Amino acid sequence: MADKHTSGDGTNDLNSLLLDSKVYTVNEFTEAEPENQNLWPRPEAQKWIPMLFIGTCLLYCARMAMPICAVTIAATYHWSKIECGVVLGGFYWGYCFTQILGGHVSDKVGGERVLFISTALWALITAVTPLVVQLSSHTLALMTAARFLMGLLQGVFYPSLASLCSQRVVEGERAFLMSTMNSGSHLGTLLAGGMGSLLLDWYGWESMFYAVGFLSGLWTLIVWLCLFKGAVPLKQLETSHGSEWSLSRTLSLFKKPSVWAMVFAHMCICSTSYTLLSWLPTYFKESFPHATEWVFNVIPWIAAVVSALGGGFFSDFLINRGYDVATVRKIMQFFAMGISSIFLLLLSGAVTFTSAVIFVSVIVGVSTFTSGGASVNVQDLTPSCAGAVYGFMNMLGALWGRFRRHDNQLLSCGLKLGRRLRTQQDEITPTRTNSSSRSSRSGASDAAGGLRSELGSGRWSRQ
């Protein structure tokens, strides 16, 4: 697909043209579109987009299965909090390792093939996890290994999706596809929470893994039977790139300021997402202890689903109306980072519960506009290696978000300890003061006793 993005004089120097915004005008892309055999026909795209949306929902259902069931599993196998944390953390370390590799392979063989194979494997792992842990007494090691493999296999999903979007979707429809997948992740998290709670109460923690594994396997079967028939063959995908993408040429991309701007923007969004996921429940429980939990646990993420779809549609609408692609990407990223930061600052003040829910909903919702900004900009700047570059930036984002989450946990512990110490001191001060007052009144005949009481009261007040 990269050979279609050439300048007016037909120059094929991709190294100099990949970041040239003039190359990616709507008119030039439209003229080259009929010649590109990789693009999905409209009926094919209408089948793939809802299936990818469902696949993203199932991806997050499988990812959330262990966190939802962690307390029950830990009680069953007598795990400590540290051991439970090891199991949960295994996923994220595996998730970082296959980002670049998954994107590179997708660039070579096609993103849909990598998505299909990886989904089939992590669906199998999810379904057999309850069976595997019963085969040996080393349940902690087996569960950690299963989570690590789950992370390895799911780590290829978004880089493969970026590669697929670059190969198969026209420029004016990419933002809506990525936004649809983003909304699927939020919906999958909500469904996992609701379905997981019911299955835990009715059939035990094993049923959560069986259900998600079965549904994910059913998804792969439908994709195999209904969507892979008549797909573009491997040879055609390779020849469409025009030339092999060398390692030196790929590395030369990272000399471009626009690439690093995209990478750092993605890292900032990942850090914000991890911070919100870690802090929002604590914020609402401590600031509004008597509030209804489902309100702040559900409404912001419903808003995120709607906002992601609307943002993707708006971005593609502007591009199809002739607006510059780079300008549209910057506008969407400004909303995702700039507007959300304003409401985050407002949230730090004294607000009511209703205002807090509204502010959080806006923050989470507007943050999804990054699907029309930096997240899809990688396909504009580096179309022939979009999967590998997206894998690189997503790996950094995941690592940065992971470290920031640990920092947030340490900060939370420090704040809780500080509040506890202040509370204890506030309780001690009036106790000591009242005790001193009673001693002073009862010891009126004993001047020395009254003096000691007053000195004691002053000493505690200074502390």
Side-chain angles (χ1 to χ4, degrees):
M1 192 171 178
D3 57 344
K4 303 298 178 184
H5 299 283
T6 57
S7 61
D9 59 359
T11 303
N12 290 322
D13 186 5
L14 294 177
N15 188 36
S16 62
L17 290 179
L18 277 176
L19 304 178
D20 187 0
S21 60
K22 295 180 180 179
V23 173
Y24 297 97
T25 60
V26 175
N27 293 334
E28 292 181 7
F29 192 92
T30 305
E31 293 173 2
E33 183 178 339
E35 300 177 6
N36 196 325
Q37 300 298 321
N38 286 332
L39 296 177
W40 277 329
R42 179 68 59 181
E44 191 76 7
Q46 291 175 350
K47 295 178 183 178
W48 269 103
I49 291 178
M51 287 304 297
L52 290 174
F53 174 79
I54 297 173
T56 309
C57 290
L58 293 173
L59 178 92
Y60 271 80
C61 286
R63 185 179 300 186
M64 295 298 296
M66 183 62 200
I68 291 172
C69 303
V71 175
T72 303
I73 297 175
T76 302
Y77 295 104
H78 308 289
W79 292 346
S80 65
K81 291 184 177 180
I82 295 177
E83 291 172 332
C84 189
V86 169
V87 174
L88 293 175
F91 173 88
Y92 295 98
W93 293 115
Y95 185 75
C96 296
F97 283 139
T98 52
Q99 296 280 337
I100 299 177
L101 177 62
H104 177 71
V105 174
S106 298
D107 292 333
K108 297 298 181 182
V109 304
E112 60 266 55
R113 289 174 171 80
V114 177
L115 286 175
F116 172 79
I117 295 173
S118 63
T119 302
L121 292 176
W122 61 253
L124 178 63
I125 291 176
T126 303
V128 302
T129 295
L131 301 177
V132 171
V133 297
Q134 297 176 4
L135 298 178
S136 173
S137 58
H138 303 288
T139 55
L140 180 66
L142 290 174
M143 188 67 81
T144 303
R147 290 291 295 173
F148 182 78
L149 290 175
M150 175 77 74
L152 286 176
L153 294 170
Q154 290 200 355
V156 307
F157 184 86
Y158 279 102
S160 300
L161 187 63
S163 178
L164 182 148
C165 189
S166 176
Q167 295 168 352
R168 300 292 199 177
V169 182
V170 297
E171 190 176 39
E173 298 178 1
R174 291 172 181 169
F176 183 74
L177 175 62
M178 296 300 292
S179 298
T180 301
M181 302 307 106
N182 191 7
S183 64
S185 66
H186 296 301
L187 182 60
T189 303
L190 288 175
L191 291 177
M195 181 174 65
S197 300
L198 295 176
L199 292 176
L200 277 174
D201 294 338
W202 294 349
Y203 305 108
W205 68 268
E206 297 90 348
S207 61
M208 178 67 178
F209 288 85
Y210 292 145
V212 175
F214 171 76
L215 293 175
S216 302
L218 183 62
W219 182 89
T220 59
L221 181 63
I222 295 174
V223 170
W224 173 261
L225 295 177
C226 301
L227 297 180
F228 273 153
K229 293 182 179 180
V232 177
L234 176 61
K235 183 177 180 180
Q236 198 167 359
L237 276 172
E238 290 180 349
T239 57
S240 66
H241 288 291
S243 60
E244 291 295 327
W245 192 264
S246 63
L247 177 61
S248 60
R249 182 170 292 181
T250 303
L251 294 178
S252 68
L253 292 173
F254 294 99
K255 298 179 182 179
K256 307 294 183 179
S258 54
V259 172
W260 282 109
M262 178 180 63
V263 170
F264 282 115
H266 189 73
M267 290 175 62
C268 291
I269 284 293
C270 289
S271 177
T272 302
S273 299
Y274 277 96
T275 302
L276 290 175
L277 287 173
S278 302
W279 277 81
L280 282 184
T282 302
Y283 166 77
F284 277 105
K285 288 182 179 179
E286 294 185 355
S287 302
F288 310 100
H290 302 295
T292 306
E293 290 191 7
W294 73 265
V295 174
F296 58 82
N297 282 330
V298 173
I299 290 180
W301 307 112
I302 294 179
V305 174
V306 177
S307 178
L309 295 173
F313 176 82
F314 179 68
S315 176
D316 288 343
F317 173 78
L318 293 178
I319 293 175
N320 290 325
R321 290 294 298 268
Y323 287 89
D324 181 64
V325 175
T327 301
V328 174
R329 304 299 186 220
K330 292 176 183 178
I331 291 174
M332 301 303 294
Q333 197 64 31
F334 169 77
F335 274 92
M337 299 175 65
I339 302 300
S340 63
S341 299
I342 294 175
F343 282 89
L344 194 60
L345 291 175
L346 294 176
L347 189 65
S348 62
V351 295
T352 63
F353 175 71
T354 302
S355 299
V357 172
I358 293 175
F359 291 164
V360 169
S361 299
V362 173
I363 293 168
V364 176
V366 175
S367 296
T368 62
F369 282 16
T370 190
S371 297
S375 295
V376 75
N377 193 218
V378 64
Q379 299 149 27
D380 304 326
L381 300 182
T382 60
S384 295
C385 57
V389 175
Y390 189 92
F392 173 76
M393 56 191 277
N394 207 39
M395 179 191 69
L396 293 182
L399 288 173
W400 179 249
R402 187 65 180 166
F403 290 139
R404 290 292 301 160
R405 186 175 181 179
H406 286 301
D407 293 342
N408 291 336
Q409 289 174 346
L410 292 176
L411 179 60
S412 178
C413 291
L415 292 175
K416 289 181 180 179
L417 179 60
R419 285 193 295 268
R420 185 176 299 176
L421 291 175
R422 286 195 299 271
T423 302
Q424 291 177 352
Q425 183 175 350
D426 292 341
E427 293 176 352
I428 291 174
T429 300
T431 301
R432 294 287 181 175
T433 303
N434 293 336
S435 176
S436 299
S437 300
R438 288 194 299 269
S439 176
S440 179
R441 289 194 300 268
S442 62
S445 60
D446 188 354
L451 180 61
R452 285 194 301 270
S453 177
E454 292 176 3
L455 291 175
S457 175
R459 180 175 66 252
W460 280 104
S461 296
R462 285 192 298 272
Q463 288 181 350

